Each structure stands twice: as structure tokens, then as C-alpha cells.
Amino acid sequence: MAEVKVIWLGHAAFELDYNGKVKILVDPFLVASPKKADEFKDVDLILVTHAHQDHVGETCEILKNNPKAKIVAIYELASHLSEKCGVKEFIGMNIGGTWKFKKNGVETSITQVEATHSSMGIGAATGFVIRFPGFSIYHAGDTGVFPGMELIGKLYNVRLALLPIGSHFTMGIEEAVEAVKLIKPEYVIPMHYNTFDLIKADPNLFKELVEEATSTRVIILNPGESNTFFV
Ligand code: ZN
């Protein structure tokens, strides 16, 4: 049996740990995180969905303590960040593509998917599907709801979706409930809410509406809290 530990670091930042063998950070903006940039060890990959500062976050600081970690982003952003952080290697991808990462006998697939959002003119805004053996996670990035979410759920057999609910810059609760209906994951963790006044949202209302309309379970975390999934 394997364990997938999913830690919410506040906003859109997550730490994903597969059985203590593979460690992936997504959008490490740590303003609400009890764990600070210099406390991250053994990071393999840092996935960045788009160029906004509340998603790039502390990528460069984390790389300083994790020189083996690789930036994974859309090509233009990966190249831009590697220069900014002073690292040579990066994984530049694009939408629809998959990159396979092998470490400690574990193969993890990273697929870049679309998002309807902006990205400072550096590449396009994206989401990621992270497929560990037997467990698939969709991090939607910043996005509105879009019909292609149905295909993402189906193609990659998404079991856990990480979805923004804060509105103003992304989907709000009403749209995110529709996103859950399209993706049909087993679990959802809401993100991108209550970091700032502009994105205030009630995760309990989201949970109530999703669980009334679908068989998906909503897991509400506080920044720094985690949920472990067994596969
Ligand atoms: Zn954004």
C-alpha cells in the first residue's frame, strides 16, 4: 500500500508526497503557510501554473535549499524562472503534453492542461495533472470553469481535484460546483480563497452544495493541514 500525503500550504500552494519517495510542490506562495521557504527539504519538483506572483511565490528561495529540484512550467515561464532563480535545468512543457519523472522506482506523470486565466504575457496560464501510481491529482491553477474539465476528469481518471473557489480572479463557489460535476473526482480540496479580502469565500457552503449535488467528498483544510490518501 502507498500513501499520498497532500498538504495545503494556503492559497494555491500544495506539497504532495508519494510514500516519502517523491516530493512535489505546486505554486509555492507561502504567505499563509506555517512552513516557510527554508524549511522545505528533499523537494524533487516545483510546478508553477502561471506567472502571477501569488503562484510563483518563493520558488527561487526553495530552490536554494533544494539544488536538485526542478522547475516545471509552460516553456516560456520555466525558462524565465530558471534565469531569475539562477538555475540551469528546467522542464519546459506545454498544454496537452506529459512528462514522466522517475525516482526511487516510482514513475510520476506530469501533464499540463489548459486554464482560462492570464499569465503576465509569459506563456499561458495552465493547470497540472499529477499522476502517481494509482492516484491522480488535478491542480486547476487559477481558472474559470470550462467544458474541457469533463475531458480532463475522464482522460486522467482524476481522484482528487484542487479547485479555486475565491471568485474575483478565478471561479467562485457557484462555478466550482459546476466544475466538480464536470470532473467527477472522488475528492475535492478547495483553494485560492480567504488569503485576501477580495477572495473571501465560505468553504463550508461549497462543501454543502457539492455534497448535495454529487457523490464527491469535499475536504476542507486549514493552511499547514494535510490529508493522506491510501492507494
Ligand atoms: Zn493568477
Side-chain angles (χ1 to χ4, degrees), residues 18-115:
Y18 180 83
N19 241 8
K21 290 183 170 178
V22 179
K23 194 182 282 186
I24 297 174
L25 299 183
V26 187
D27 287 355
F29 174 69
L30 303 174
V31 73
S33 171
K35 194 168 170 180
K36 298 302 169 198
D38 59 0
E39 295 174 68
F40 290 90
K41 301 277 175 285
D42 305 318
V43 176
D44 295 302
L45 308 174
I46 303 176
L47 276 51
V48 183
T49 59
H50 65 292
H52 288 146
Q53 191 46 42
D54 60 322
H55 294 260
V56 171
E58 275 87 334
T59 295
C60 291
E61 287 76 7
I62 294 165
L63 278 170
K64 274 179 205 151
N65 294 322
N66 296 272
K68 285 185 183 161
K70 288 188 180 73
I71 296 169
V72 183
I74 200 162
Y75 185 84
E76 291 82 354
L77 178 60
S79 156
H80 169 87
L81 286 177
S82 72
E83 200 169 310
K84 189 181 155 204
C85 304
V87 296
K88 284 194 191 101
E89 269 187 77
F90 61 86
I91 308 296
M93 300 184 62
N94 218 314
I95 291 162
T98 297
W99 174 64
K100 287 182 178 165
F101 173 70
K102 284 183 193 145
K103 193 198 157 198
N104 290 335
V106 178
E107 185 178 272
T108 305
S109 287
I110 311 290
T111 302
Q112 192 153 42
V113 296
E114 72 179 293

Side-chain angles (χ1 to χ4, degrees), residues 5 12 27 66 75 110 123 130 134 146 163 165 178 180 198 216:
K5 190 176 179 189
D27 287 355
N66 296 272
Y75 185 84
I110 311 290
I130 300 119
F146 56 90
L163 301 179
I165 64 161
E178 292 307 307
V180 175
L198 273 176
T216 299

Side-chain angles (χ1 to χ4, degrees), residues 50 52 54-55 117-118 142 169-170 192:
H50 65 292
H52 288 146
D54 60 322
H55 294 260
H117 192 68
S118 63
D142 277 3
F169 301 110
T170 68
H192 214 275

